[in-house]
Amino acid sequence: QVQLVESGGGLVQAGGSLRLSCAASGSIVSINAMRWYRQAPGAQRELVAAITSGGSTNYADSVKGRFTISRDNAKNTVYLQMNSLKPEDTAVYYCYANIRDSWYNSDYWGQGTQVTVSS
């Protein structure tokens, strides 16, 4: 009943910017942690950025100073602003949220959005 829908991926040149969005919908009472992960071809999925319900953030060392995670609790949406993109940022980006519905806290994932950075 809960869905995460991502948008904003695409092709960009090195040094450019993209903004990813992930909107949660369905039977939501509250949203706890929200995160962005990425998975490059042949690599494991890795955590890129995370934000708590209170707004505390943390980032992978590889994106610190270039990426910014934020959330709009009124819209049940998390964002990832990506600046100074590098070819090594090329990956499928997935959003994650821990969401409380009427009864439980459960983990949900988006479908993934492709980000390709050309050199």
Side-chain angles (χ1 to χ4, degrees):
Q1 288 184 326
V2 173
Q3 279 190 315
L4 298 182
V5 179
E6 301 159 359
S7 59
L11 173 65
V12 64
Q13 288 189 331
S17 298
L18 284 173
R19 188 192 196 208
L20 305 183
S21 300
C22 174
S25 62
S27 300
I28 297 170
V29 172
S30 61
I31 302 179
N32 303 311
M34 303 186 85
R35 303 172 189 153
W36 287 98
Y37 290 79
R38 67 185 180 188
Q39 187 167 19
Q44 290 189 333
R45 190 171 297 190
E46 64 173 350
L47 177 65
V48 175
I51 187 167
T52 68
S53 57
S56 297
T57 60
N58 66 281
Y59 297 92
D61 288 343
S62 59
V63 306
K64 280 181 181 176
R66 299 189 298 121
F67 290 11
T68 302
I69 188 171
S70 62
R71 62 192 286 173
D72 185 332
N73 292 329
K75 295 181 179 180
N76 291 335
T77 299
V78 62
Y79 305 97
L80 186 67
Q81 178 66 45
M82 305 185 293
N83 299 328
S84 302
L85 282 160
K86 304 175 181 180
E88 51 263 44
D89 294 318
T90 295
V92 177
Y93 284 70
Y94 298 91
C95 69
Y96 157 93
N98 181 264
I99 295 174
R100 182 169 184 84
D101 60 20
S102 301
W103 299 101
Y104 304 109
N105 288 323
S106 301
D107 297 329
Y108 293 92
W109 292 87
Q111 80 282 3
T113 186
Q114 178 70 46
V115 171
T116 303
V117 184
S118 63
S119 57

